[in-house]
Amino acid sequence: MNFTAFMSSNDWRPPAPTPCARPLGAFALLRTIYNNPLEAWTREHFEQPIVISRLLGTQVAVVNEPSAIRRVLLDNASNYHKDWLQQRVLSNGLNGGLLSAENEQWQMQRRSLSPVFARKTVMGFAPAMMSAAEDLIKRWQDQNVVDAAADVTRLTLDVLRRTVFSEGLGGDPEEFRIVMTEFFNTIGRIDALDVIGAPNFLPRIGRRKARSALRFFNSSVDKIIATRRQNLAEEPSSVPKDILTLLLRARDPETGQAMREAEIRANIITFISAGHETTANTLSWSLYLLSQSPAWRERVAAEAYREFQGPTETLVDRLIETRAVIDEAMRLYPPIAAISRQAIGPDVLCGVAIKPRDMVVVSPYVLHRHYRLWDRPDVFDPRRFLDPGCDQIDRYAYLPFGAGPRICIGATFALQEATLVLATIMRHVTLEPVPGHRVWPILRVTLRPQGGLPMIVRHRAADAEVSGAARTALKEAQLVQR
Ligand code: HEM
């Protein structure tokens, strides 16, 4: 397969590791998985429908064929559980929440939690998302250079704090942010002991730090839950309609059962954990990609300028080009770069026999850059997600949120937040990478820019400037497309 096929001089290939020509040896593979698993993929992965290898005695099948992926994630999903590596990495505090639960416990939680993330409920969170974005712009007012990755991470944590506990945490929000950041930094690195399957009783350095952060978090949340329960009992009409209230009121529609206190706590930390860094990375990569594409930067700014003047309730649905940039950013840099499962019983995928306990990996990173499935896969081109053409993308070739029963429950929330925040930022500022800083993707549970994203901020003088510059950029873009 020719890797430069279809390239033209206008094609810009954002930074990504060149796939290895051959599979790495066992020691190099473990080292690469520890440092940056993204650098372990081989050319074969980006060219073949299925690639079989062995990792410490276990057969691993990396599947890139849409109908086989559909079989693993949907049609035969009951034959595939979350694998041991995910369970080990996730066991730091998320245990008992939706992300790590299996079987009956998962079904009951998924039924109870689905209404919390229904489109109508999520639309009610739009003002919190927009005001968090406005606050970010205000913070950037006096700054010339910012770490955009750190700042959007702060923003997504802020959005979750406002939507989960809208009355605040009772304590110092900055203390909460520092503790949460420490928690995610320590659980965020895949421990070599976990990769080699060392017994759980062996101490992991990160885990001890994470535990103390978790103790702080649990005690803060317990206090808030107690106060909210009391308010719900005494003055039910005055309690805010945030996620905490929704969780306390949630009932399994089949059994009428409420969730236990420990499950509520585990799910709050699950939402913060699963929802803040993933959405922040989507925003970071979108900002970086736009900083390298003046035409798209101005198209998004012009759309924001135009659509922010219309009704707020339908705003997110009108930000079509902004959304196409976000879709393309998640194609090139999917925040969850690998979804893995362990087979329970035998199966056959792409003609290959899968045995019980084999690992099956669906990697959105590889899938989204696969040469059989995408035209110019390594090139940034949001037009793929605009009409005409977007309906040709196979449902199982583009999986930033997974698929099947375990599809991301927060997808609507994340897409709404990313779209509103990106449009707000682009309407007010332009960003440019600080010269000399190498932007590079690294996988630390989520796929983020290594060493952050130092950017030079320029505030747009007036909205008129947006529309003027946008008109020029649009003309240029139309010329390129012809
Ligand atoms: C751009 C942002 C996001 C991305 C790319 C993303 C991606 C994913 C993916 C790929 C899965 C499936 C994992 C698997 O099948 O093994 C997943 C599951 C999940 N996500 Fe997200 N997510 C995002 C935002 C959020 C947000 C904002 C929340 C909550 C506030 C959230 C909560 C969850 C939960 C609870 C699950 C587990 C669902 C289940 O097992 O039933 N995610 N996410």
Side-chain angles (χ1 to χ4, degrees), residues 82 98-99 106 110 274-275 278 282 336 341 400-402 406 408 414:
K82 299 232 168 176
L98 189 66
L99 196 64
W106 171 80
R110 184 88 196 193
T278 44
T282 305
I336 302 295
R341 297 287 189 266
F401 295 104
R406 301 214 68 147
C408 176

